[in-house]
Amino acid sequence: DAGVIQSPRHEVTEMGQEVTLRCKPISGHDYLFWYRQTMMRGLELLIYFNNNVPIDDSGMPEDRFSAKMPNASFSTLKIQPSEPRDSAVYFCASSDRVPEQYFGPGTRLTVT
Amino acid sequence: AQKITQTQPGMFVQEKEAVTLDCTYDTSDPSYGLFWYKQPSSGEMIFLIYQGSYDQQNATEGRYSLNFQKARKSANLVISASQLGDSAMYFCAMRELKRGAGSYQLTFGKGTKLSVIP
């Protein structure tokens, strides 16, 4: 079984540009989570979906961030416009009805 | 107040020895779950073990066991027979229901860096 797939693995962009991160959850998993990891703040939950519906987006830092899940096998996290403080590793994770989540390899975002 | 506290920023252990990584948590909910994840230097997050607040027995998964002391609000991870490949960051996390929101809150600790010495 393929795990959670994220693309790109690395992204370097200039301040002000739009960034789109992509995630394909494990087939059959109905929960999808987006996390951000930084040295200062650790691992933070940004938003999660259940059956493609956003359940809790209270962790999204500001309006520049948006996430969508148009179908059960695809989700995006978009930052527009990007800022240097958005530099972090962004993880996508998925789960089914069990508590544990399975993480993707992460996308390392650098905004210059 | 921090929801998850990992007081050991770094730990060293001799290969083949056992090591305990500390985790304390703070919640007023009777129903919650506790997790441990491993993050090697390559960056991926690997699920290790889960303990539900109502589970009567401590969770075990191979060389990993969770020493769950509910009254003390601690959920320490014990790794037996350490291997060089166990060198990584280890994160404790808690899932609890957000009051009035109908959704779950997931909180991770700051992590403990474990180094296994040959």
Side-chain angles (χ1 to χ4, degrees):
Chain A
D1 252 356
V4 175
I5 299 171
Q6 290 187 248
S7 65
R9 293 294 307 277
H10 302 272
E11 177 80 33
V12 180
T13 191
E14 291 184 348
M15 183 173 65
Q17 296 297 306
E18 177 180 295
V19 175
T20 300
L21 311 181
R22 296 172 176 80
C23 175
K24 176 179 169 52
I26 293 172
S27 177
H29 282 191
D30 52 1
Y31 285 88
L32 184 138
F33 306 82
W34 282 101
Y35 290 89
R36 178 173 68 175
Q37 186 178 36
T38 61
M39 288 295 293
M40 290 297 293
R41 300 176 66 90
L43 199 63
E44 304 171 284
L45 177 66
L46 300 177
I47 185 171
Y48 79 90
F49 295 83
N50 179 216
N51 291 322
N52 312 339
V53 176
I55 301 300
D56 188 344
D57 66 354
S58 59
M60 296 285 261
E62 48 198 278
D63 291 345
R64 296 184 298 106
F65 286 69
S66 63
K68 293 182 180 178
M69 192 164 185
N71 57 62
S73 58
F74 184 65
S75 176
T76 60
L77 178 68
K78 188 175 291 187
I79 309 172
Q80 164 65 18
S82 57
E83 296 182 4
R85 60 193 168 117
D86 302 330
S87 297
V89 179
Y90 290 82
F91 286 102
C92 176
S94 71
S95 70
D96 53 16
R97 304 200 188 287
V98 296
E100 61 264 28
Q101 299 170 23
Y102 295 89
F103 281 69
T107 295
R108 183 173 295 276
L109 174 65
T110 304
V111 183
T112 61
Chain B
Q2 285 195 40
K3 289 275 188 178
I4 296 285
T5 303
Q6 294 182 253
T7 57
Q8 307 149 315
M11 289 277 287
F12 289 89
V13 64
Q14 202 75 38
E15 194 178 5
K16 299 180 186 175
E17 297 291 312
V19 63
T20 298
L21 307 184
D22 294 343
C23 173
T24 58
Y25 59 91
D26 181 26
T27 182
S28 55
D29 283 338
S31 178
Y32 52 90
L34 297 155
F35 305 79
W36 278 92
Y37 282 85
K38 172 184 177 182
Q39 187 175 41
S41 57
S42 50
E44 71 270 31
M45 294 285 287
I46 302 167
F47 166 74
L48 295 178
I49 196 165
Y50 169 78
Q51 179 87 41
S53 58
Y54 291 120
D55 292 343
Q56 295 295 314
Q57 302 217 340
N58 285 348
T60 59
E61 288 287 345
R63 294 186 299 110
Y64 305 109
S65 60
L66 200 151
N67 184 1
F68 182 45
Q69 298 188 46
K70 199 169 182 176
R72 290 186 171 186
K73 293 188 174 178
S74 76
N76 298 341
L77 177 71
V78 180
I79 306 174
S80 62
S82 298
Q83 301 172 357
L84 295 179
D86 294 335
S87 294
M89 284 289 290
Y90 288 82
F91 293 93
C92 179
M94 177 173 65
R95 184 185 78 163
E96 57 184 335
L97 192 62
K98 262 177 151 178
R99 293 196 179 279
S103 63
Y104 287 100
Q105 175 72 37
L106 291 121
T107 311
F108 282 77
K110 298 293 186 190
T112 295
K113 184 172 182 179
L114 177 67
S115 300
V116 180
I117 305 166

